Amino acid sequence: MSTSEIIPKTLLATKFFIPSPPHTLIHRRRLLDLLNASLNSRLTLVSAPAGFGKTTLLAIWANTLQKDKVHQVVWISLDETDNNSTNFWVYVLTALEFQEPGLCADLLSNLQSSQPMPLQTILLSLINTLIKSSKSFLLILDDYHLITEPEIHTSLQYLVEHQPPQLHIVLVTRSDPPIPLNRWRANMQMKEIRAEQLRCTNQEVKDFLLEVMNITLPETLFHAVMDHIEGWLVGLQLLGLSLQGFNDPQPLVAELSGSQHYILDYLTEEVLRQQPEEVQTFLLYTSILDRLSAPLCDAVMQTQTSQQMLRHLETSNLFIVPLDMQLRWYRYHALFTEALYYQLERNYKDLVPVLHHRASVWYAEHDALTEAILHAFNAHEWEWAADLIERMPFSIAWGTSEQAFSLLRHWLEQLPTEVICSRPRLCLACAQIMRTVASPAVLKSWLDAAEKTLTTTLNKLPTNENALASSTTRAELEDLLGEVISYRAFLMSYSENGLETLILCQKALTLLSEQNHVVRAMVAASRLHAYYFSANDADAASQNGLLAVEIARQAGQHVLAAFYAGITLYYLTGNGRLREANRLAQHVSQSMEDARGHLLPEAGWSYIYYANVLREWNQLDTALEMILKGIAISRQTGSTVFMLCGYGALVHIYLSRGELEEARATIEQLDDVGSRSNFMLYLYIRAFYTTIDQVRLWIAHGELEQAIRWSESLAKDEWQTIPFLQERANVARVRILLAQCQPQLALEQLQPALTRATEGKRGEHIIEIRILQALAYHMLQQESEALEALAIAVQIGEPEQFIRSFVDEGPQVCSLLTKLREHDRKNKYGTTSYLDTIITAFPATTPLDDEQLTQRETNFNGQAASTILSKRELEVLYLLAGGVSNQTIADQLVVSINTVKRHVSNIFLKLEAPNRLQAILRARALGLLPQDL
């Protein structure tokens, strides 16, 4: 089977090839013996600074092992692009598959699918697969110091600690990786070869100078060389090349002083002096390249002789390494490149940008845009770099990977402002791609510049519509201006300026081409947000969301349709239309399968919100499985927005499952992702998705003072100007007031929220607010009002079978629902069956009816109060009922905050209450607290 049949085009084939060692080398048997002996351990670590011959040594050893056919050598030359766990392990599995076809085919297919198994599961399967193999594999990871992604280190550690005897791993690195080397060293699981072993011995230096370079030094000069070079292999090679041109080597040796970089620069200059002029020119001019091929070098040198020159350099041992067996690609030794480039800049400074421009043009012609852009920047060709960036295939709808974001951000920071602002298409692309990382002010400046340039250009065009060229130009410019205005509306649609957003949407539609379905779908999505957040019309919002889905679908943009379907799913749920959301989610999942039946990454967006529907229907296990799958799928898109929304929805599911620590950890993950994104976008998503859940978590953990501090800080948050988020924050405040036993104030704050939710026809939020009303009325001992509020919530929830909205509010709601059920039975109302469904969903430990609740209270009342709670716990209980924080209790009782927390925890445990509010209600029912406190 050929290499091309095994290695996909998306992978760089030269990274799998064992470098060909130079033709002239000294024999270093001692190091080869060390490597052979290391095969008895799990891991070999070859760690030393640059220039000590690590890669050359391993290449010689690997080629030797290949000849004896005992070991299957798997070589991977790593670089910075491998700092992604999926990419890293795709290379590893592909390399193994290349050595034994069929060995890792299934694992590769799974890892690259839209629904990959967890990485640890894939590694476990790899281990089990290798155990069954009759072959022995040697995995050499060269330049491992370039790997910085923690997940890669963790996964490699897992493989090392569980690897079968059929596998041995060699790490070649300039620095020690963050894996447990000390433990492996202590357990004799690792062998090490470091700089001290890699330094050339006196005999090896003599052999090299005599056998390779045909040079004999007097003993005194030899010791001087050893003192300066210190066994540094690359320095020794350069010295040998330099000495070939000297009859008397003493002056050259006398110059060897200072740091290794000084020696490197000095010796490189000496080596260059000895080369023919055409070789010097070639070495210097091509030092701008990371990898060399004859066509690329021809473009840079403007010759047709590069292939012969590359072969000459290889046979002359001038620090060039072939990267493939066909001798198409090479590279210089990294230190040699650095020294050559230093000489180039010092002697031919004006020529450097010209050479970079030639390389950039060649890469652009061969569709290697990233390399083309990098050389364009080095050439200071700003307009050309901007042209290339506009050609980059960044995904506007889905965003790009973190690596791509970082790269683009770096490019944009280098481009002069006037270059960006003069290009409307680039300005728009910048705003679209950088939405999650750039500030609102920067985004606005890009859109302002694009709109100004387009408007000015349109105003200067002739008005004679008979001129075909002019008409075509005008239509294209107007369409682009419509896109700019559409995106401005999209960014504004989350704000309080709902009316202005709708006006912008209408203006955009008058400019956009009828065929521009992608942007017309975005306009509908902008209306969705504007209606939901500002205009407060959930029905209109859902209709526009469904319209966006339909426009994209009719245009054949199924990925975009899935994107808008995911958004619409959330709003349908808020609208109270669970069944419709369910149908939409199922349709999206069916339309987003590839030819093999795997879901495309973009389907993860709808999975995240479909999980919320399942959670509401109390299908918690399926919901958790669904959202974890959705997050895993969405991670492949690299979208920060997806990850933030996914973690926000996951918090809600964990809270429904009662898994508080998992919920807390997920909020921490959300904050970690948010810290690397646009701050305002992060604040918005956190407020939208986790404001109330964070408060619920604080209260459940007995951290009421933390919730109170958050409530007091709300006035400082900028997103408080958005009406919908204000409403959500007020509902969160009400939960804090109820935990502080302030039901009257809670009812007062709930009323405007209820009015707005009712006007907006947001059934999910009306149910939540009505339940909180019922709890507040119950605390005030106004049972009829409590049951009336709860009955309205039940009436709204029944058609769509809302369940968790009731269950998540705790056992007191269960007791109220039980009373409501008895009331309905007596009056022969029709909600009893639905009430049975909700009540049954409560945990079994929750009292299910008045008789059971009365029996439990009787059992408690049969004891003296002092046998239920200690005297100190009763004191704490009274202060809790007064609504004060843990810190205030500590101050009043003159004890530590930790002591107070311990007392509160004991009270919760003894009263079988999950939080402060439930503890106070239970204490009143048991007679431990007066009813008016």
Side-chain angles (χ1 to χ4, degrees), residues 861-874:
N861 285 326
Q863 308 174 53
S866 60
T867 64
I868 300 174
L869 300 178
S870 69
K871 182 178 180 181
R872 178 62 87 180
E873 288 167 352
L874 283 171

Side-chain angles (χ1 to χ4, degrees), residues 810-825:
Q812 199 62 46
V813 172
C814 182
S815 298
L816 289 171
L817 287 169
T818 303
K819 293 177 180 178
L820 181 62
R821 179 174 61 180
E822 294 304 315
H823 177 270
D824 286 354
R825 283 174 178 170

Side-chain angles (χ1 to χ4, degrees), residues 443-698:
L443 296 176
K444 182 178 182 299
S445 68
W446 280 328
L447 295 176
D448 286 346
E451 189 169 345
K452 180 179 179 182
T453 301
L454 287 168
T455 302
T456 301
T457 304
L458 280 167
N459 289 336
K460 291 180 180 179
L461 285 178
T463 57
N464 182 8
E465 294 297 337
N466 293 324
L468 181 60
S470 173
S471 177
T472 302
T473 302
R474 178 175 294 278
E476 291 173 350
L477 291 173
E478 285 181 344
D479 191 57
L480 181 54
L481 179 58
E483 288 191 35
V484 173
I485 295 172
S486 298
Y487 201 71
R488 188 189 298 279
F490 184 75
L491 294 179
M492 193 181 295
S493 64
Y494 295 90
S495 71
E496 72 275 16
N497 299 320
L499 180 59
E500 186 176 347
T501 299
L502 295 174
I503 293 173
L504 284 175
C505 287
Q506 189 58 41
K507 181 179 179 182
L509 290 173
T510 63
L511 293 166
L512 289 170
S513 161
E514 290 294 333
Q515 289 71 42
N516 198 339
H517 302 291
V518 171
V519 181
R520 285 182 172 273
M522 183 174 67
V523 171
S526 300
R527 283 174 160 171
L528 177 154
H529 295 133
Y531 276 118
Y532 201 87
F533 293 121
S534 297
N536 195 30
D537 188 338
D539 280 346
S542 298
Q543 289 168 9
N544 276 278
L546 293 171
L547 176 61
V549 175
E550 188 59 28
I551 293 173
R553 186 180 295 155
Q554 288 182 358
Q557 299 283 340
H558 297 295
V559 169
L560 196 62
F563 173 66
Y564 291 130
I567 298 174
T568 306
L569 273 171
Y570 187 85
Y571 297 113
L572 283 171
T573 304
N575 205 179
R577 295 153 66 175
L578 299 182
R579 299 183 190 278
E580 190 172 356
N582 178 51
R583 288 193 296 272
L584 179 60
Q586 290 181 339
H587 181 81
V588 170
S589 64
Q590 292 169 2
S591 65
M592 292 305 294
E593 291 183 354
D594 61 19
R596 295 179 299 175
H598 295 144
L599 283 173
L600 298 174
E602 294 78 10
W605 190 231
S606 58
Y607 264 43
I608 287 171
Y609 291 120
Y610 186 28
N612 194 48
V613 174
L614 296 175
R615 181 203 62 80
E616 185 60 55
W617 284 342
N618 203 35
Q619 300 175 32
L620 298 185
D621 291 342
T622 307
L624 180 60
E625 179 184 351
M626 179 75 69
I627 196 165
L628 291 177
K629 184 185 296 184
I631 291 173
I633 296 172
S634 297
R635 189 178 285 116
Q636 298 176 46
T637 68
S639 170
T640 302
V641 176
F642 284 4
M643 297 309 299
L644 289 172
C645 296
Y647 284 137
L650 181 57
V651 171
H652 206 159
I653 290 175
Y654 277 137
L655 285 175
S656 291
R657 293 170 62 89
E659 297 171 349
L660 302 185
E661 291 307 316
E662 289 82 355
R664 186 192 293 271
T666 303
I667 287 180
E668 291 174 357
Q669 287 179 293
L670 185 148
D671 290 341
D672 180 60
V673 174
S675 66
R676 303 191 297 272
S677 67
N678 176 307
F679 183 65
M680 285 306 297
L681 176 68
Y682 158 60
L683 280 183
Y684 158 75
I685 291 179
R686 204 182 194 287
F688 187 48
Y689 291 98
T690 59
T691 294
I692 290 175
D693 285 344
Q694 176 68 85
V695 168
R696 290 175 59 204
L697 189 60
W698 281 328

